[in-house]
Amino acid sequence: MQGNLPPEAQEKLEELQDLQDTAQKVAAQKEQAESTLTESKTALDALEEIDEDTTMYREVGELLVETEYDEAHEELEDTVDSLEIRVEQLTKQEERVEEQFESLQQELQQMLQGGAGGGPMGPGGAGGA
């Protein structure tokens, strides 16, 4: 079927496929960041329930290294803050990709429905090469 498409339509279709790939990658990154954020918030909540004098360890590669309460608390807060920002950025990126996808999809539909005659298809149409 793609062989019967005009070159402009084929280009739009390839752009749609690229956007779909991008959307999937962004969604996977967002899911990963949200998961890590949830884990970090849970750890921070648990840390706040622990006595500050309790001996604590943190993972460094394959090792467990003793750490201070204040240091662990500060690191977790920083991690939560940066992950919240990351999730927010990915959400915005996801929305932008979705808008681009929908716009491109409409352009392609207009091109395929009315573009067979080769004439302009009204205001706001794809006006370029």
Side-chain angles (χ1 to χ4, degrees), residues 67-106:
T67 188
E68 297 293 322
Y69 178 92
D70 291 337
E71 185 179 332
H73 192 273
E74 188 176 325
E75 278 186 33
L76 271 174
E77 281 182 330
D78 289 347
T79 299
V80 166
D81 289 345
S82 65
L83 283 168
E84 286 174 340
I85 291 168
R86 179 74 176 138
V87 167
E88 190 176 314
Q89 290 171 336
L90 287 168
T91 299
K92 288 178 183 176
Q93 186 177 356
E94 197 174 44
E95 290 168 359
R96 282 192 305 270
V97 169
E98 188 176 318
E99 288 171 7
Q100 289 174 329
F101 186 86
E102 289 172 3
S103 174
L104 201 54
Q105 195 172 30
Q106 285 179 339

Side-chain angles (χ1 to χ4, degrees):
M1 173 160 169
Q2 282 186 349
N4 298 335
L5 292 177
E8 302 86 24
Q10 218 162 353
E11 261 182 58
K12 296 278 184 205
L13 190 58
E14 288 172 11
E15 285 181 52
L16 272 174
Q17 290 169 340
D18 289 344
L19 276 175
Q20 192 170 22
D21 289 344
T22 301
Q24 289 172 346
K25 288 175 185 172
V26 169
Q29 289 175 8
K30 182 181 171 190
E31 186 177 321
Q32 172 76 36
E34 286 174 332
S35 175
T36 305
L37 176 59
T38 300
E39 290 174 11
S40 297
K41 283 182 174 180
T42 300
L44 189 58
D45 290 344
L47 186 61
E48 290 174 358
E49 300 293 321
I50 294 174
D51 184 68
E52 291 186 28
D53 296 329
T54 303
T55 302
M56 291 189 299
Y57 299 89
R58 66 184 172 113
E59 217 174 321
V60 178
E62 298 287 326
L63 302 173
L64 289 177
V65 179
E66 191 171 342
T67 188
E68 297 293 322
Y69 178 92
D70 291 337
E71 185 179 332
H73 192 273
E74 188 176 325
E75 278 186 33
L76 271 174
E77 281 182 330
D78 289 347
T79 299
V80 166
D81 289 345
S82 65
L83 283 168
E84 286 174 340
I85 291 168
R86 179 74 176 138
V87 167
E88 190 176 314
Q89 290 171 336
L90 287 168
T91 299
K92 288 178 183 176
Q93 186 177 356
E94 197 174 44
E95 290 168 359
R96 282 192 305 270
V97 169
E98 188 176 318
E99 288 171 7
Q100 289 174 329
F101 186 86
E102 289 172 3
S103 174
L104 201 54
Q105 195 172 30
Q106 285 179 339
E107 287 178 31
L108 182 60
Q109 283 177 340
Q110 287 175 350
M111 193 179 287
L112 293 175
Q113 289 172 352
M121 286 307 300

